[in-house]
Amino acid sequence: ARSATVVDAFDAMITPRPYRKGMPGEEAGEELRRSRGVQFDPLVVDAIISLYEEGNLQPLHGNNSSKK
């Protein structure tokens, strides 16, 4: 559940919505870091950010500024 919460939050931040643009993955990662240990499990945040930075977490429908 803790992993799903972080992944869902990351996806929600990078996915464009009718009322706002999706943010770049790097910016979403910073947002997760700010909530690390407060809203989100620190180990899960670190793992998700590492996977994204290594290119092993590919958004299926994120914005154009996400890594490919």
Side-chain angles (χ1 to χ4, degrees), residues 16-50:
R17 307 292 183 183
Y19 51 88
R20 65 153 176 79
K21 292 181 179 180
M23 66 175 64
E26 293 76 14
E27 192 176 322
E30 287 303 314
E31 194 66 33
L32 290 178
R33 282 186 181 98
R34 280 192 283 280
S35 298
R36 183 184 181 276
V38 178
Q39 182 177 356
F40 303 120
D41 183 300
L43 295 175
V44 176
V45 169
D46 293 346
I48 297 301
I49 290 172
S50 291

